[in-house]
Amino acid sequence: MAETGGLFGAEIRDEFQLSKELVHLNHGSFGSVPRSVYEARLERMKELEICPDDWFRYNFVLLVTKGSETVSKLIGSSSSENVVFVENATGGITAALRSLGLKMQSKAGLLVTGLSYEAIRHTAHKVCEIEGHFVLHTINLDPPYKDKFEVVQRYRDYLSSHSDVHVAIVDHITSPSTLLLPVKEIVSVCHEFGVAVIIDGAHAPGQVEINVEDINAEFYTGNLHKWFFCPRG
Ligand SMILES: Cc1ncc(COP(=O)(O)O)c(C=O)c1O
């Protein structure tokens, strides 16, 4: 039998129903939720079965409103009206890209990074090649860097020589290279060049403190116990 080990992990181990025979490391692909979340979910499902009409017409709306208020506080959003639930981080990016794409008068540059998550790169490719709203650009963010300013400088250099870029997708924590990018500073440079930013937060909430007002991107999408998505402006 494997040892669970780890300070935080062992202390909260009983909060999870995961087999004690396993050390589950793949929370990124397939996670498990704490017992309290699991039980609340069963409770909601029971309520739904008892009176579906009431649930969808009234309870659901109230629960979503309450949920966005809670998430809003956790991520430092000034208004819960800027927070909506989506199915996953990829769905949030797709929604943001589609809504920005529809606003574009002509084909604009869409900047992803060489470290972007594969599903996000597929989404970007789709809006460029199939829906035709954007032309795909890729910035090289391969390490090493001396410090975070070097990453920011790479954005400055790229945007200085590619004035057609109008939208950038920036990872908060890259996958699978696990780099924590200086998103606030990258957003600031992008805005200097008139570029709207969608942050792919995927696994950042819970690992690093998030304040969406401070980061100041047009969109931030990420995963909590539930998914959230924060459109701004
Ligand atoms: C940076 C990044 N973006 C997107 C995703 C995909 O997340 P989801 O499955 O919630 O769409 C992941 C998953 O690991 C990720 O690490």
Side-chain angles (χ1 to χ4, degrees), residues 88-90 117 120 171 173 175 200 202-203 223 227:
N88 54 28
T90 311
Y117 189 70
I120 304 300
D171 294 337
I173 299 178
S175 171
D200 175 3
H203 298 299
N223 302 324
W227 318 97

